[in-house]
Amino acid sequence: MAIKESTAPAVNGASRQFDAIIIGAGFSGLYQLHKLRDDLGLNAVILEKADGVGGTWYWNRYPGARCDSESYYYCYSFNKEIEQEWSWSERYPEHPEIRKYLNFVADKLDLKRDIRLNTEVTSAAFDDATNTWTVRTKDGQSLSAPFLITAVGCLSTANVPQMKGLETFEGKWYHTGLWPHEGVDLTGKRVGQIGTGSTGIQAAPVIAEQSQHLTVFQRTANYSIPARNGPVTAEEVKHTRENYDDIWKLARAGTNGHPFSISTQSALSVSDAERQEIYEKAWERGGLRFRASFSDVLQNADANLTASDFLRDKIKTVVKNPEIAEMLTPRDHGFATKRPPIDSGYFETFNRDNVLLVDIKAEPIVEVTPKGIRTTRQEYELDIIVFATGFDALTGPLVNLNISGSHGAKLKDEWAAGPRTYLGLQSPKFPNLFTITGPGSPSVLCNMPIAIEQHVDWITDCIRQMRDKGLKRIEADTDSAEKWVAHVNEAADATLLPMASSSWYLGANVPGKPRVFMPYAGGFARYTAICNDVAQSGYRGFALS
Ligand code: N01
């Protein structure tokens, strides 16, 4: 398809009736709009709460926020012109560069005229009589369409812990996922950071550099692999551009949608010296690829222990104070059973004079005081508190939309014991509602743009076929969803992933959230084959009418 010239953003008038409504203008929403509008010729619209496109990259502007997947494949693969025109400057791009990329794509495809910004969806309700969704927005709009597609991301509902006394704090506090766009001047400030997941591990080194003092409140010590970030050279750009077809082929053929293969040899099949050498090389290369060093790091506890031990030893070699090194060493879960962070100088940060580590399992936080944070041992005086406490992942962004389906069924109630989807794409009782990267699909276990494109392509094809055949309604069967949920559990249980008791994959970071392993761990290629087979069989497991 030829790319249209960029045009100035112009919201598509005051229309109220559409063929499809898409919620969210991140990677998913932009591509979904392009496919429905430009391939199927539908009258589609995106409703977006923010005042710009970007999705997760619109909101996450905390110090150090950058991508953990490598830039050359953390991008769209569907359009050769975009691929050949865009150049990334760094191996792991910072948040402004990813926003710039998404704006570039939106402009190239002339998408902005069909995006309503500053438009927050407050509810969506399905009418069985007309097979129509009606979406209401905070500013009083009411819009209808036969198809509703959520493109709200998996990590977009900030999890701010309910901390006693927070309202009394005389300083300022921020959640990393809602970071002020004008930035926060940390100069001369005493900062307390709660949380040491991927976000906290990215943020701490930068906050330590910018502030007078940083106190890191750590609940669960984490593993981290050096990112080895750096500029992308002109030769690398050329090489990538020339080889994109192979890059995408490899990415789609794998488990995690990354264009590298997982080793086929077991960590237990090689000598200690050989294993050490392989891990050392992976450590030097850096990044998430470390996980792929052996075939069974996530399948076999003994194999996993070799990776975990290697990384624990690395903490000891980097952190000068042995007591702090021990505090930073994860002992309660194996490497990569939680989403592994990658970092630029995280453990080194604890060698700085202006950084203090507080183990809040040993001295739990009692309350936030006007002056700072009080643990069972002492009060830490702070000017700023940074909550790097993650998200109500996967289900939070969907449940918060107040969705009522067939005969008034509420998504919140249907998912009270955990998400119940068929393929992560649909949920019984919610006809004509598609959830891009919904729970039960590979989503967060995958390089996201690849997972998104597969979902958008599948949804688009499904709508195309329905329209061709004059069908008005598609709904996942209860039985198919039950079987799929069982399969999602079975796929997770075939790995070590459910063993990390504090993992957000299980909803463990949000008090009261049901502990259910939410993403599909059976592998991206296998998942794609299942989705394709379902479509080719005439949408087995869905009721169409
Ligand atoms: O969130 P997290 P995140 N009191 O849930 C702690 C993606 N991401 O924002 O482990 C004290 O991982 C919590 O402790 P514990 C990536 O997929 C991508 O860091 O629950 N502490 C943990 O240490 C990532 O996995 C990029 O015991 C509390 C931390 O806060 C996902 O986002 C960059 C607490 C939360 O860690 C989420 O990462 C960054 C409490 N009440 C993130 N509640 C990319 O580059 C929570 N914690 C693409």
Side-chain angles (χ1 to χ4, degrees):
M1 198 223 73
I3 294 175
K4 291 176 196 165
E5 284 308 304
S6 168
T7 58
V11 176
N12 59 354
S15 304
R16 295 280 176 262
Q17 306 284 336
F18 297 90
D19 297 322
I21 295 173
I22 301 158
I23 308 175
F27 268 98
S28 320
L30 295 179
Y31 181 44
Q32 185 67 79
L33 173 62
H34 167 61
K35 288 294 281 182
L36 294 181
R37 191 191 69 180
D38 301 330
D39 280 8
L40 300 195
L42 300 194
N43 179 17
V45 68
I46 294 181
L47 307 181
E48 168 57 60
K49 175 179 170 183
D51 69 2
V53 305
T56 194
W57 299 105
Y58 175 91
W59 299 103
N60 280 273
R61 303 183 190 213
Y62 58 87
R66 59 176 71 246
C67 188
D68 280 353
S69 293
E70 296 187 44
S71 52
Y72 75 92
Y73 64 84
Y74 187 81
C75 51
Y76 292 116
S77 73
F78 69 86
N79 189 299
K80 291 252 173 287
E81 284 178 57
I82 289 171
E83 209 169 78
Q84 297 300 317
E85 277 183 37
W86 181 263
S87 302
W88 294 103
S89 69
E90 287 185 283
R91 184 175 174 191
Y92 302 97
E94 232 186 321
H95 61 94
E97 190 169 4
I98 306 176
R99 274 196 305 284
K100 199 168 158 195
Y101 170 75
L102 289 170
N103 274 286
F104 165 79
V105 172
D107 287 336
K108 287 297 286 182
L109 301 176
D110 192 15
L111 298 176
K112 288 180 179 172
R113 66 185 156 90
D114 290 309
I115 302 174
R116 291 191 186 181
L117 300 173
N118 300 304
T119 305
E120 183 176 349
V121 171
T122 50
S123 70
F126 185 73
D127 177 24
D128 288 285
T130 56
N131 289 321
T132 303
W133 281 96
T134 297
V135 171
R136 293 186 196 281
T137 68
K138 201 171 179 181
D139 61 0
Q141 297 179 59
S142 166
L143 314 171
S144 301
F147 293 102
L148 178 63
I149 301 163
T150 59
V152 289
C154 302
L155 296 158
S156 48
T157 303
N159 169 43
V160 181
Q162 306 275 312
M163 285 199 173
K164 188 180 157 210
L166 184 57
E167 70 290 351
T168 69
F169 183 52
E170 287 168 0
K172 298 243 190 284
W173 65 264
Y174 307 96
H175 186 278
T176 49
L178 299 169
W179 201 258
H181 292 187
E182 63 281 12
V184 178
D185 185 4
L186 301 174
T187 320
K189 300 282 194 269
R190 297 160 303 172
V191 181
Q193 176 187 309
I194 302 176
T196 52
S198 297
T199 300
I201 281 178
Q202 282 187 339
V206 185
I207 295 178
E209 264 173 31
Q210 293 179 356
S211 64
Q212 181 197 312
H213 189 270
L214 170 65
T215 306
V216 175
F217 296 88
Q218 170 190 275
R219 187 163 74 178
T220 305
N222 219 334
Y223 301 90
S224 184
I225 312 292
R228 312 276 180 219
N229 190 28
V232 176
T233 64
E235 294 80 65
E236 284 168 334
V237 171
K238 182 169 178 286
H239 181 265
T240 301
R241 284 184 178 159
E242 287 170 1
N243 289 282
Y244 255 129
D245 288 349
D246 292 340
I247 289 168
W248 297 131
K249 203 166 149 196
L250 187 57
R252 291 199 183 90
T255 305
N256 303 104
H258 293 273
F260 49 78
S261 308
I262 296 175
S263 165
T264 51
Q265 66 179 349
S266 161
L268 306 174
S269 69
V270 295
S271 69
D272 290 354
E274 209 179 326
R275 188 186 312 115
Q276 188 71 10
E277 196 186 326
I278 289 170
Y279 282 142
E280 282 292 350
K281 273 197 190 138
W283 172 264
E284 282 312 316
R285 191 176 49 216
L288 292 171
R289 196 186 290 212
F290 186 92
R291 259 189 317 200
S293 301
F294 292 103
S295 61
D296 47 2
V297 169
L298 268 175
Q299 272 73 34
N300 177 308
D302 290 332
N304 184 277
L305 188 60
T306 65
S308 303
D309 280 345
F310 175 88
L311 295 171
R312 289 176 188 140
D313 284 347
K314 284 290 179 196
I315 298 171
K316 263 191 244 159
T317 63
V318 174
V319 180
K320 290 187 186 140
N321 180 325
E323 271 177 43
I324 296 173
E326 182 50 33
M327 280 164 74
L328 287 164
T329 301
R331 301 275 176 205
D332 68 328
H333 66 283
F335 166 67
T337 54
K338 293 172 76 167
R339 156 65 149 80
I342 64 169
D343 70 279
S344 298
Y346 176 66
F347 291 112
E348 291 81 348
T349 297
F350 295 92
N351 292 331
R352 295 175 64 109
D353 292 338
N354 71 333
V355 175
L356 177 71
L357 179 66
V358 176
D359 174 356
I360 56 170
K361 277 212 174 110
E363 49 172 313
I365 293 176
V366 177
E367 60 180 347
V368 178
T369 65
K371 297 277 173 243
I373 289 179
R374 188 196 310 282
T375 67
T376 49
R377 263 185 217 157
Q378 70 176 87
E379 183 177 28
Y380 297 87
E381 291 201 357
L382 304 166
D383 304 305
I384 291 176
I385 299 174
V386 174
F387 289 102
T389 43
F391 303 90
D392 180 356
L394 290 135
T395 50
L398 294 167
V399 165
N400 288 346
L401 290 172
N402 293 317
I403 298 176
S404 315
S406 182
H407 303 292
K410 302 259 185 291
L411 191 70
K412 177 166 64 73
D413 299 337
E414 297 298 317
W415 287 10
R420 309 197 70 71
T421 74
Y422 180 38
L423 303 171
L425 279 159
Q426 263 216 347
S427 200
K429 303 190 189 171
F430 298 88
N432 296 7
L433 168 66
F434 294 104
T435 48
I436 302 175
T437 63
S441 73
S443 67
V444 291
L445 298 179
C446 207
N447 171 34
M448 285 303 279
I450 286 284
I452 285 165
E453 287 185 336
Q454 185 262 337
H455 262 193
V456 169
D457 290 344
W458 192 96
I459 292 165
T460 307
D461 259 8
C462 177
I463 293 176
R464 183 201 321 263
Q465 294 204 35
M466 286 180 69
R467 287 172 67 89
D468 287 352
K469 293 178 183 152
L471 296 166
K472 301 271 184 261
R473 178 172 165 137
I474 179 166
E475 181 180 348
D477 297 336
T478 304
D479 185 45
S480 328
E482 262 162 33
K483 285 191 182 128
W484 183 252
V485 171
H487 178 57
V488 170
N489 284 324
E490 181 187 72
D493 290 342
T495 72
L496 303 174
L497 287 165
M499 295 180 75
S501 60
S502 62
S503 168
W504 59 261
Y505 294 153
L506 281 162
N509 61 323
V510 177
K513 189 163 172 169
R515 296 228 172 176
V516 176
F517 195 87
M518 294 179 285
Y520 178 64
F524 178 73
R526 182 177 170 200
Y527 173 80
T528 305
I530 295 170
C531 290
N532 291 346
D533 186 53
V534 165
Q536 275 152 23
S537 71
Y539 297 96
R540 188 181 56 242
F542 292 93
L544 288 128
S545 54

